[in-house]
């Protein structure tokens, strides 16, 4: 089952190849054509697995990564990851195809596609990983790569601010999710999601179960822009439109949805899970749609609509978790249909929102503005774009014959069905669910209509536009048209999707339920004239139309919600406070004085090491077995003492450095005496190289200034240095007989059998503790590059003022 | 100011080869005897630094036209690459292996993937040390 590993790795390999290809391809063709092959290939790869996955088969493969910590690179393909995999690669292909026409070759395309492929790989990693730690790694990688994507036009201040906001909020959620994962690990002793799902009965009684639930939900809510964390999503629209289309329709924000769906078998059935997921979802649904109506920027309108639609999907998963509470029974099938509707709407949302974002991108690209106060009457000039907008918006508003209608009907059915649940004391709130859902749908209808009419209907205002108007080039229209085909196609053949894609995913969400088609209801477009859902939809259209017609009269209502007290204000204030607070705090100890830093380091060193040795009562000395001290050792010791004391009193830098060299070489001598040629050699070479370095540096430094510190300062410094020396000496003496840990000496004796080398030092470096060495090498490189950039890339005065 | 460094240059010409050879020897000896990637790399770097001290940067650069930043990056790539590479053989991350092969002329020789890892370490050390010293010395 190498395919899934390839699926995760291929985008990363592609991203690594881009710098090489960019130079060759730059003049020949658009880089996007090459990049397009990556998701297209993966999409085809995945499609080939659909028949087998539809039969209930799952594919799993484990690569041992850090088995000693239970962390393995386990790839897992089941129905749920299949949906997301198809969305990521499918919409990804269309987005890249679209971007080829959207972004000119003058942009720094190699950066753009590199970030995009990184992001795609990270998303695939999230949905295909079975191991929680691996999932977390990819999760944070999506935060980082989306940060880079949102800040693509980094010369604009708004882009940087938006990227920072997205990163702050999603990483905050990611970290709390990590804590939740670790709690789950403590409770279940495994990082594998499948094993956790299988042992859920045991884990449920653990004390850490509920905290883990809340922390993991926090991760999902921040990523999926749920209320009140939704504030990052509208700002993320600062990204280039292809990116917005991708982030908002198929990827980033869907990661949180994925997490909720994936953990439904674990946490579903808990009252707190039900309430948090469904209520937060409904609030987000309402708040997003309510705020979308007031937006004047097309992209902002769509961003708020994404927030609201994500709330809808989230709340459906919350309602569906009731099915877990009841377990498998004839009566609980009706509740599982909420989860089915969630998955269905997930797919539908990806199709119509992707198309709508691309449509807005086209308008922006061809007309030069996204402000609906300046737009209008574009229908005659851009008929194809208008068609795309109508199909996308009608689907979003939940009108037939588009796929949004079907999932919206199922959503209404789910909120109506939930009134009959007797668990979790839902009955008291019964009417609240359908009411919020219905009101939010009315607003959804209103903003969908605004989207169409303000852009395409009404009077054209060419005097407010800077560009000459014409229809978009064909290439730009292909991708949204394909998505529109899906929007309509899914409406007429919903059960193809239901059977092959959604049904296996339902089996992943309800693993304890027998699956044979029971979990996946047959989707009807027509429920009969008496079904309450239909009447709810009709009412949405009626009231929505009235509200839309009288928009001017009631829009001032929004002024009640003062801009002073929005979540954005609180976010900004929090940011300002933490910035000024940390600056103040940092100024207190980062004085820029090297002596102070050394004092901190040494005081902490003494407190920790000496403190630990005293606290753990490890100060045992035993000189019986020590060998006798030879005379030449004594001589060396006296040389070192002499050199170190002299060093304190010298005036010149070079003298001090040479004395330091004497110390270093003497230590090397000791290594020779005690038969450690490796260490002696290292010490000698390091000493020589650092001496050369010092010589180079000292050329530029002024002479030592005669420093006359106060008496008290001098004494405290002396005290600290004596304490450090004493600590090191005592630790050195005591450690010989320290027996708190098991000796590692056996490893050294068996180094040849275990690692194939008889040089112990080297087997430690290259085998036993190779992870240290590997990271050490990376640190070394970073340090080297740090020195290089600090010295070489100092900005000149005029460049420093470049930031806007 | 022109420094008279005839002695340094003459000595350097002879000594650098000895140092570089020692460095390479140390690198290969590392598996069973004192040596290894880190020390080997350091010795090589010290040889190169000696060259830079004796001659000027342009002259040395003509003889060794490497970008030492890239050398360091290549080293890191090798070290992490061997670590990741083990995954493709279905063994844990960072697993190393070794074997003995009979080579003509040299006889029985040990081959080990640790050598590649160590080569990465050595290249990083050389690259970073020379980069740091060069950039400090070139600073105006």
């Amino acid at each position: 089952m190498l395919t899934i590993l390839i699926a995760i790795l291929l985008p990363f390999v592609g991203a690594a190849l881009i710098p090489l290809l960019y130079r060759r391809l730059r003049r020949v063709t658009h880089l996007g054509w090459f990049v397009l092959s990556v998701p297209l290939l993966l999409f085809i790869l995945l499609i080939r697995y659909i028949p087998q996955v539809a039969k209930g088969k799952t594919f799993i493969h484990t690569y041992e990564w850090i088995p000693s910590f239970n962390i393995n690179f386990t790839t897992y393909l089941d129905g749920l990851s299949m949906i997301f995999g198809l969305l990521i690669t499918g919409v990804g292909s269309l987005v890249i195809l679209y971007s080829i026409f959207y972004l000119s070759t003058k942009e720094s395309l190699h950066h753009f596609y590199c970030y995009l492929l990184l992001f795609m790989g990270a998303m695939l990693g999230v949905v295909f990983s079975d191991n929680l730690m691996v999932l977390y790694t990819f999760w944070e990688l999506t935060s980082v790569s989306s940060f880079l994507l949102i800040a693509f036009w980094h010369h604009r201040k708004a882009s940087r601010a938006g990227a920072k906001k997205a990163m702050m909020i999603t990483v905050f959620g990611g970290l709390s999710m990590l804590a939740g994962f670790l709690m789950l690990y403590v409770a279940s002793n495994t990082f594998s999601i499948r094993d956790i799902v299988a042992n859920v009965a045991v884990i449920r009684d653990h004390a850490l179960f509920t905290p883990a639930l809340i922390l993991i939900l926090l991760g999902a809510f921040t990523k999926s822009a749920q209320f009140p964390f939704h504030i990052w999503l509208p700002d993320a629209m600062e990204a280039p439109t292809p990116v917005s289309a991708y982030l908002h329709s198929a990827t980033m924000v869907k990661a949180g949805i994925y997490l909720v769906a994936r953990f439904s078998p674990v946490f579903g059935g808990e009252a707190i899970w039900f309430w948090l997921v469904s209520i937060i979802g409904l609030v987000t649904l309402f708040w997003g749609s309510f705020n979308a109506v007031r937006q004047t920027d097309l992209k902002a309108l769509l961003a708020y609509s994404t927030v609201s639609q994500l709330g809808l999907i989230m709340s459906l998963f919350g309602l569906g978790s009731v099915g877990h509470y009841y377990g498998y029974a004839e009566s609980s099938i009706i509740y599982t249909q909420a989860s089915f509707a969630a998955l269905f709407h997930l797919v539908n949302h990806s199709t119509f929102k992707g198309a709508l974002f691309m449509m807005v991108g086209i308008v922006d690209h061809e007309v030069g503005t996204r402000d609906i106060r300046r737009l209008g009457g574009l229908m005659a000039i851009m008929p194809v774009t208008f068609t795309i907008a109508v199909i996308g918006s009608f689907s979003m508003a939940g009108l037939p014959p588009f796929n949004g209608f079907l999932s919206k009907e199922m959503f209404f059915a789910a909120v109506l069905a939930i009134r009959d649940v007797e668990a979790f004391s839902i009955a008291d709130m019964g009417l609240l669910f359908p009411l919020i859902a219905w009101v939010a749908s009315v607003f959804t209808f209103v903003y969908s209509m605004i989207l169409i009419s303000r852009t395409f209907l009404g009077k054209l205002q060419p005097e407010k536009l800077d560009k000459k108007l014409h229809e978009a080039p064909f290439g730009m229209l292909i991708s949204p048209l394909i998505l529109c085909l899906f929007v309509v196609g899914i409406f007429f053949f919903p059960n193809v999707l239901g059977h092959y894609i959604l049904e296996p995913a339902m089996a992943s969400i309800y693993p304890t339920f027998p699956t044979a088609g029971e979990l996946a209801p047959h989707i009807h477009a027509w429920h009969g004239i008496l079904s309450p859902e239909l009447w709810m939809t009709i009412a949405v259209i009626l009231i929505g139309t009235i509200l839309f017609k009288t928009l001017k009269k009631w829009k001032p209502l929004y002024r009640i919600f003062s801009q002073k007290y929005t979540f954005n204000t609180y976010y900004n204030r929090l940011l300002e406070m933490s910035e000024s607070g940390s600056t103040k705090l940092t100024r207190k100890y980062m004085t820029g004085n090297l002596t102070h830093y050394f004092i901190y380091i040494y005081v902490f060193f003494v407190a920790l090491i000496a403190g630990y040795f005293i606290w753990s009562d490890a100060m045992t000395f035993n000189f019986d077995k020590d060998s006798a001290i030879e005379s030449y050792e004594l001589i060396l010791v006296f040389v070192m003492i002499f050199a170190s004391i002299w060093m304190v009193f010298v005036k010149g830098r070079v003298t001090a450095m040479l004395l330091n060299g004497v110390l270093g070489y003497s230590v090397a001598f000791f290594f020779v005496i005690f038969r450690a040629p490796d260490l002696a050699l290292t010490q000698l070479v390091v000493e020589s190289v650092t001496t050369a370095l010092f010589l180079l540096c000292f050329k530029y430094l002024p002479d030592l200034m005669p420093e006359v510190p106060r008496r008290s300062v001098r004494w405290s410094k002396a005290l600290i240095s004596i304490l450090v020396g004493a600590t090191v000496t005592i630790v050195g003496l005591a450690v010989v007989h320290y027996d708190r840990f098991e000796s590692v000496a056996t490893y050294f004796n068996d180094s040849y059998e275990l690692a194939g080398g008889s040089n112990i030092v080297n087997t430690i470096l290259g085998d036993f503790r190779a992870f240290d060495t590997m990271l050490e090498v990376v640190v070394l490189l970073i340090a080297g590059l740090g020195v290089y950039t600090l010295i070489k890339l100092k900005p000149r005065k005029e460049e420093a003022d470049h930031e806007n | 100011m022109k420094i008279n460094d005839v002695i340094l240059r003459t000595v350097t010409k002879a000594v650098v080869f000895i140092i570089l050879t020692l460095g390479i020897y140390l690198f290969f000896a590392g598996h069973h005897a004192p040596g290894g990637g880190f020390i080997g790399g350091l010795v090589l770097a010290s040889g190169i630094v000696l060259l830079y001290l004796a001659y000027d940067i342009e002259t040395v650069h003509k003889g060794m036209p490497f970008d030492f930043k890239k050398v360091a990056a290549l080293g890191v790539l090798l070290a992490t690459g061997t670590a990741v590479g083990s995954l493709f053989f279905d063994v844990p991350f960072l697993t190393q292996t070794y074997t003995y092969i009979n080579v003509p002329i040299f006889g029985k020789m040990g081959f080990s993937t640790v050598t590649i890892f160590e080569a990465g370490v050595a290249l990083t050390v050389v690259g970073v040390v020379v980069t740091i010293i060069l950039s400090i010395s070139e600073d105006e």
Side-chain angles (χ1 to χ4, degrees):
Chain A
M1 194 44 207
L2 209 64
T3 321
I4 300 307
L5 186 74
I6 294 171
I8 299 173
L9 289 183
L10 193 65
F12 292 109
V13 175
L17 285 179
I18 280 182
L20 300 173
L21 280 163
Y22 180 63
R23 269 185 219 156
R24 306 265 149 76
L25 287 177
R26 191 153 82 183
R27 292 204 177 77
V28 189
T29 177
H30 199 282
L31 188 63
W33 291 112
F34 159 74
V35 179
L36 178 62
S37 65
V38 174
L40 211 58
L41 191 74
L42 294 179
F43 187 68
I44 295 164
L45 262 178
L46 280 176
I47 280 185
R48 286 179 53 237
Y49 283 96
I50 287 180
Q52 282 165 290
V53 171
K55 279 187 199 128
K57 206 163 175 255
T58 56
F59 297 89
I60 182 157
H61 199 282
T62 302
Y63 294 88
E64 294 198 336
W65 189 14
I66 316 173
S68 44
F69 285 112
N70 273 335
I71 296 173
N72 292 314
F73 201 102
T74 308
T75 58
Y76 186 52
L77 177 68
D78 64 347
L80 191 61
S81 31
M82 179 62 110
I83 291 191
F84 284 89
L86 286 175
L87 286 181
I88 293 162
T89 53
V91 179
S93 309
L94 295 176
V95 162
I96 289 174
L97 179 66
Y98 174 77
S99 72
I100 292 171
F101 298 94
Y102 188 85
L103 290 171
S104 78
T105 39
K106 280 180 205 129
E107 305 266 5
S108 49
L109 289 176
H110 52 312
H111 291 149
F112 178 78
Y113 286 115
C114 188
Y115 302 155
L116 197 69
L117 282 179
L118 276 182
F119 180 71
M120 188 182 289
M123 275 307 296
L124 289 170
V126 166
V127 299
F128 287 132
S129 298
D130 181 56
N131 192 286
L132 289 178
M133 287 300 110
V134 180
L135 191 153
Y136 170 74
T137 312
F138 282 121
W139 182 276
E140 293 298 35
L141 196 56
T142 61
S143 298
V144 174
S145 47
S146 65
F147 170 82
L148 292 169
L149 280 173
I150 296 169
F152 178 62
W153 287 317
H154 54 81
H155 48 89
R156 297 198 324 211
K157 200 172 176 184
S159 293
R160 297 202 300 271
K164 191 165 89 178
K165 200 180 204 176
M167 175 108 156
M168 294 277 254
I169 292 176
T170 54
V171 168
F172 156 74
L175 285 174
S176 69
M177 188 182 86
L178 176 67
F181 283 172
L182 292 174
M183 287 179 181
L184 264 189
Y185 179 70
V186 171
S188 65
N189 208 25
T190 174
F191 277 128
S192 161
I193 298 174
R194 279 171 314 116
D195 292 349
I196 290 172
V197 170
N199 296 323
V200 72
V202 186
I203 308 164
R204 200 160 268 169
D205 299 327
H206 202 277
L208 286 175
F209 186 69
T210 311
L213 183 159
I214 292 168
L215 287 171
I216 290 173
L217 265 189
L218 209 56
F221 285 165
T222 48
K223 202 75 162 181
S224 278
Q226 296 296 297
F227 184 88
F229 306 111
H230 64 277
I231 50 169
W232 70 263
L233 194 60
D235 286 2
M237 70 181 180
E238 294 298 335
T241 303
V243 173
S244 310
Y246 199 36
L247 291 185
H248 287 230
S249 77
T251 51
M252 180 81 162
V253 291
K254 296 278 165 77
I257 303 276
Y258 169 78
L259 198 73
V260 168
R262 185 52 96 196
F263 278 94
S264 280
V266 182
F267 298 121
E270 297 289 310
I272 187 165
W273 175 269
F274 169 82
W275 284 113
L276 275 176
V277 177
S278 51
I279 290 296
I280 294 279
L282 279 176
V283 170
T284 312
L285 166 65
F286 170 73
W287 191 243
S289 63
F290 182 64
N291 271 302
V293 176
R294 72 196 286 184
Q295 301 303 323
T296 51
D297 182 335
L298 281 179
K299 241 176 151 182
L301 190 152
L302 282 183
Y304 274 102
S305 108
T306 304
V307 170
S308 123
Q309 299 282 317
L310 287 170
L312 191 157
I313 300 170
M314 197 62 100
S315 68
L316 277 171
F317 274 120
L319 302 180
S321 74
V322 176
H324 284 286
Y325 177 77
Y326 283 123
Y328 175 67
E330 198 71 7
S331 56
S332 62
I333 290 294
I334 189 168
Y335 304 117
T336 64
Q337 288 187 11
S339 296
F340 185 82
L343 291 172
F344 190 31
H345 196 70
L346 180 91
V347 177
N348 296 344
H349 177 247
S350 293
T351 54
F352 66 70
K353 191 53 65 69
L356 282 175
F357 259 107
M358 290 178 191
M359 182 277 291
V360 168
I362 290 170
V363 169
D364 190 15
H365 200 264
E366 300 304 320
V367 180
T369 182
R370 302 188 308 242
D371 195 332
I372 56 172
R373 286 168 299 194
R374 291 167 67 190
L375 289 167
L378 291 177
M379 184 171 75
I381 299 159
M382 309 170 94
V384 185
T385 316
F386 171 67
T387 316
I388 295 166
V390 167
I391 294 174
S393 308
F394 277 22
S395 181
M396 183 156 73
L399 303 177
F402 306 106
N403 57 5
F405 171 72
L406 298 177
S407 40
K408 190 91 135 237
E409 293 274 286
M410 294 179 87
F411 170 57
F412 285 150
V415 285
L416 288 172
I418 211 69
R419 284 177 310 168
D420 304 329
V421 178
E422 272 146 29
F424 312 144
S425 52
I426 292 171
D428 310 336
M429 322 259 300
L431 210 60
L432 206 61
F433 285 97
L435 196 68
I436 299 177
W438 183 80
V439 173
S441 297
V442 171
F443 282 112
T444 307
F445 183 85
V446 173
Y447 72 66
S448 300
M449 292 309 119
I450 291 177
L451 186 66
I452 299 175
S453 67
R454 288 301 172 85
T455 318
F456 295 99
L457 306 179
K459 222 174 77 199
L460 191 65
Q461 303 162 294
E463 72 281 358
K464 289 187 183 172
L465 306 170
D466 317 324
K467 286 196 182 177
K468 212 166 162 275
L469 300 173
H470 52 80
E471 178 62 282
F474 180 64
M476 231 177 192
L477 296 167
I478 302 171
S479 295
L481 280 176
I482 293 175
L483 284 171
C484 285
L485 272 183
F486 275 104
V487 169
V488 181
I490 290 174
F491 176 81
F492 287 108
F493 307 102
N495 292 307
V496 179
L497 182 80
H499 178 65
Y500 284 103
I501 310 278
L502 304 182
E503 197 183 306
M506 285 298 280
S508 316
I509 299 176
Y510 297 98
T512 53
F513 285 47
T515 44
E518 283 187 40
L519 282 172
H522 194 76
I523 308 167
H524 300 280
W526 179 247
H527 292 274
I529 194 77
L530 284 175
S531 71
E533 301 96 276
L534 185 69
W535 287 105
M536 279 172 87
T537 307
I538 290 169
V540 163
I541 297 170
L542 276 178
I543 307 288
T545 316
I546 294 168
L547 280 181
F548 174 64
K549 288 283 176 206
T550 56
L551 192 62
K552 280 216 178 77
K553 291 206 178 103
W554 60 273
K555 213 175 176 185
L557 205 73
Y558 280 105
R559 287 200 202 119
I560 298 171
F561 297 93
S562 166
Q563 288 294 319
K564 254 186 197 165
Y565 301 104
T566 58
F567 288 103
N568 265 325
T569 325
Y570 290 122
Y571 168 82
N572 289 335
R573 202 171 296 166
L574 191 74
L575 209 64
E576 271 165 34
M577 259 162 54
S578 58
E579 265 172 22
S580 65
S582 53
T583 313
K584 260 184 217 154
L585 186 71
T586 314
R587 288 245 169 87
K588 288 240 162 64
Y589 65 90
M590 296 292 274
T591 50
N593 186 337
L594 200 58
T595 319
H596 289 174
Y597 299 160
F598 276 124
I599 291 175
Y600 306 145
I601 295 171
Y602 289 132
V603 166
F604 270 103
F605 173 77
V606 170
L608 276 179
I609 305 289
Y612 172 75
F613 265 77
I614 292 165
W615 172 74
S616 68
D617 209 16
M619 299 277 199
T620 48
F621 304 107
N622 187 358
F623 302 106
D624 299 342
K625 288 186 202 159
D626 293 358
S627 49
I629 299 169
E630 301 289 336
S631 54
Y632 48 86
E633 292 165 12
L634 270 182
I635 295 172
L636 265 179
V637 167
F638 278 117
V639 167
M640 288 173 71
I641 291 174
F642 179 70
S644 51
I645 290 177
W646 192 11
M647 204 172 357
V648 179
F649 296 100
V650 293
K651 295 277 184 282
R653 284 184 198 280
V654 177
T655 327
M657 197 196 69
L658 289 176
L659 284 170
N660 201 22
V662 170
L663 269 182
Y665 284 115
S666 311
V667 171
F669 265 113
F670 268 112
F671 287 141
V672 172
I673 293 170
F674 296 130
R675 294 191 200 120
D678 274 81
L679 296 178
L681 201 59
T682 315
Q683 177 76 21
L684 283 174
V685 179
V686 168
E687 208 56 50
S688 311
V689 173
T690 43
T691 308
L693 251 179
F694 275 132
L695 279 173
L696 286 168
C697 298
F698 283 7
K699 208 171 99 184
Y700 302 102
L701 288 180
D703 285 334
L704 273 179
M705 295 298 258
E707 213 182 329
V708 194
R710 273 176 291 127
R711 189 178 287 265
S712 61
V713 176
R714 254 190 295 175
W715 278 110
S716 65
K717 282 184 185 173
L719 182 73
I720 290 172
S721 30
I722 289 168
L723 276 177
V724 171
T727 309
V728 173
T729 314
I730 290 168
V731 168
L733 290 174
V735 87
V736 181
H737 306 286
Y738 193 77
D739 51 4
R740 298 293 153 96
F741 302 114
E742 212 178 307
S743 170
V744 291
T746 51
Y747 274 99
F748 301 165
N749 289 332
D750 303 337
S751 76
Y752 190 77
E753 282 78 49
L754 292 171
S758 35
N759 176 6
I760 297 155
V761 178
N762 232 34
T763 46
I764 294 173
L765 288 176
D767 204 300
F768 296 141
R769 304 206 50 85
F771 195 55
D772 277 2
T773 313
M774 192 190 84
L775 294 182
E776 207 77 62
V777 167
V778 178
V779 168
L780 198 63
L781 176 72
I782 292 169
L785 290 180
V787 171
Y788 179 80
T789 42
L790 274 179
I791 292 174
K792 289 280 175 178
L793 307 178
K794 276 183 289 192
R796 292 190 193 88
K797 264 264 163 59
E798 59 269 29
E799 278 176 25
D801 302 329
H802 173 69
E803 300 276 293
N804 54 0
Chain B
M1 187 177 70
K2 185 90 179 153
I3 311 165
N4 186 358
D5 48 6
V6 177
I7 299 174
L8 179 65
R9 288 191 174 187
T10 317
V11 172
T12 302
K13 272 178 196 166
V15 166
V16 155
F17 281 100
I18 301 174
I19 296 180
L20 293 183
T21 317
L22 175 73
I24 293 167
Y25 164 76
L26 281 174
F27 169 71
F28 282 110
H31 211 47
H32 296 296
F38 186 70
I39 303 175
L42 262 182
V43 171
L44 285 177
S46 66
I48 296 168
V49 169
L50 181 63
L51 272 182
Y52 278 115
L53 286 179
Y55 298 90
D56 56 318
I57 288 167
E58 285 78 29
T59 317
V60 182
H61 192 73
K62 255 180 229 158
M64 289 190 296
F66 308 125
D67 182 349
F68 282 95
K69 294 185 295 296
K70 283 183 185 160
V71 172
L74 180 73
V76 171
L77 205 65
L78 269 183
T80 47
T82 48
V84 176
S86 56
L87 283 180
F88 291 97
F89 296 93
D90 225 355
V91 283
F93 189 68
L94 266 173
T95 306
Q96 310 282 8
T97 183
Y98 64 98
T99 183
Y100 288 94
I101 298 173
N102 273 317
V103 181
I105 303 172
F106 293 102
K108 192 177 160 194
M109 280 185 78
F111 284 92
S112 169
T113 51
V114 178
T115 314
I116 309 173
F117 184 75
E118 293 275 332
V121 176
L123 285 178
T124 316
V125 171
V126 171
V128 168
V129 168
V130 177
T131 304
I132 290 178
I133 288 182
L134 272 188
S135 46
I136 288 178
S137 65
E138 280 174 359
D139 187 30
E140 296 303 313

